Amino acid sequence: MKIDLTGKTDTMAKLFCGSRELDLTTPVVMGILNLTPDSFFDGGKFLSLDAQLHKVESMLKDGASIIDIGAVSTRPGAKDVDEKEELTRLIPSVRAIVENFPECILSVDTFRPVIARAAVEHGAAMINDIYGGRYEAGMFETVASMKVPFILMHMKGTPGNMQDNPSYSDVVAEVTYFFENQLIQCRDRGMRQIILDPGFGFGKTVEQNFELLAHLDEFKAMGLPLLVGLSRKSMINRFLNIHASEALNGTTVLHTIALIKGADILRVHDVKEAVEAIRLVGMLG
Ligand code: 9MG
């Protein structure tokens, strides 16, 4: 008898991202490009357009299938960025990346429907919403009308208050309930390509994050692709009492667990190491 160590059930194996297709029959890597000066790990390092393009080039060379860019930091206590400033920071980068790397599937991390629309009109091919559509009315309709995949992430509270003593009677049940409710709304509004993300570090204690990771395979029962963002997060750094810059080994350990439990997309700072984890776990069959 062949034992399935991957936790995978049948899932949407192909996503349509504008003119490109994303094959999820094996897991893929989403490389992070922060345009914010205050991100928790690499804030401010990639601010010039030239430096951004070099970073994208290197992540694609290392095997990233998707690049995720965001212009608003989600770190607790980060400065608010209004819609105008988000557009000003984001759109030149979207245009430059699409022009220089037409093969790249570009995801935009935004919770504002106006920004999502503008980004896709300039060539972005996926929307990553940490509010899971709850920030402002109209996100689901906007993304549905543009027919790009949508990352539906769970967050308890807002980036400003999410770490003020988050409490759940059952974190896995609450995240599942959130997905079920949001999925009804997404589908009612015509959205067809949805990626689920439990939102590690967004309104969860270290223990709650590990509880979610331990039960990740349960989210696969919903039959949708699963994204995890574990890279250099506080569940590693706080638990091991290290700085984010020292957390690559811990990240790879958690990626390995997530892959065994069925993750389809790893959102990461370190593409090469994540690709290696995927290849090695893939050998389990
Ligand atoms: C923007 N961002 C930061 N962490 C993230 C995570 O875990 N998932 C997603 N979808 N986006 C994230």
Side-chain angles (χ1 to χ4, degrees):
M1 184 178 77
K2 189 168 186 305
I3 299 170
D4 178 15
L5 290 169
T6 65
K8 268 190 184 289
T9 53
D10 279 348
T11 193
M12 226 187 277
K14 204 180 269 182
L15 292 175
F16 297 93
C17 310
S19 57
R20 283 129 295 161
E21 287 182 6
L22 180 65
D23 182 0
L24 292 177
T25 43
T26 56
V28 300
V29 170
M30 166 187 270
I32 301 168
L33 179 68
N34 278 316
L35 308 182
T36 59
D38 51 359
S39 133
F40 75 98
F41 174 55
D42 53 7
K45 262 200 250 167
F46 307 117
L47 286 183
S48 85
L49 202 52
D50 224 32
Q52 289 169 31
L53 292 176
H54 274 110
K55 179 67 183 169
V56 171
E57 184 177 29
S58 121
M59 290 196 287
L60 292 174
K61 210 180 277 166
D62 284 344
S65 301
I66 311 164
I67 302 293
D68 187 46
I69 66 170
V72 179
S73 174
T74 51
R75 194 173 53 82
K79 177 177 152 289
D80 272 353
V81 174
D82 66 21
E83 197 169 285
K84 191 160 164 264
E85 186 173 354
E86 190 180 355
L87 262 184
T88 308
R89 283 189 193 177
L90 199 63
I91 298 305
S93 300
V94 170
R95 294 179 60 151
I97 294 168
V98 169
E99 197 179 308
N100 285 275
F101 306 102
E103 76 285 8
C104 169
I105 295 175
L106 185 62
S107 159
V108 167
D109 157 22
T110 187
F111 40 80
R112 294 184 169 117
V114 168
I115 306 283
R117 179 170 296 286
V120 174
E121 282 171 359
H122 284 95
M126 189 178 287
I127 296 300
N128 175 22
D129 183 358
I130 61 157
Y131 278 82
R134 291 175 303 113
Y135 181 79
E136 205 174 290
M139 183 57 114
F140 296 152
E141 292 85 341
T142 301
V143 176
S145 73
M146 297 184 299
K147 299 186 167 50
V148 294
F150 180 71
I151 301 167
L152 174 64
M153 198 196 83
H154 174 270
M155 168 168 59
K156 188 164 184 127
T158 66
N161 66 19
M162 65 188 180
Q163 290 311 116
D164 300 346
N165 196 22
S167 110
Y168 301 83
S169 59
D170 178 338
V171 66
V172 177
E174 201 168 306
V175 173
T176 304
Y177 182 72
F178 167 83
F179 284 151
E180 285 169 352
N181 272 304
Q182 296 304 93
L183 281 173
I184 292 171
Q185 295 186 44
C186 288
R187 287 171 172 148
D188 276 358
R189 287 160 178 83
M191 206 187 275
R192 293 290 171 265
Q193 304 193 82
I194 303 158
I195 299 163
L196 301 179
D197 178 353
F200 290 100
F202 286 84
K204 287 111 186 166
T205 62
V206 168
E207 291 73 20
Q208 289 156 357
N209 282 311
F210 277 99
E211 175 98 14
L212 283 173
L213 182 59
H215 291 267
L216 198 65
D217 43 347
E218 293 177 26
F219 300 119
K220 291 297 283 187
M222 298 178 131
L224 294 175
L226 202 52
L227 181 148
V228 295
L230 294 159
S231 187
R232 298 178 184 268
K233 288 248 170 111
S234 66
M235 64 188 286
I236 304 165
N237 316 339
R238 264 205 216 134
F239 182 69
L240 296 178
N241 195 22
I242 56 175
H243 185 261
S245 61
E246 304 168 292
L248 178 54
N249 184 53
T251 298
T252 303
V253 172
L254 298 198
H255 280 161
T256 304
I257 296 167
L259 289 165
I260 288 171
K261 288 185 167 289
D264 298 290
I265 304 175
L266 305 178
R267 183 181 182 276
V268 311
H269 299 95
D270 309 279
V271 171
K272 181 170 164 284
E273 290 79 1
V275 169
E276 287 174 357
I278 289 172
R279 291 183 59 202
L280 287 166
V281 173
M283 289 305 287
L284 295 177

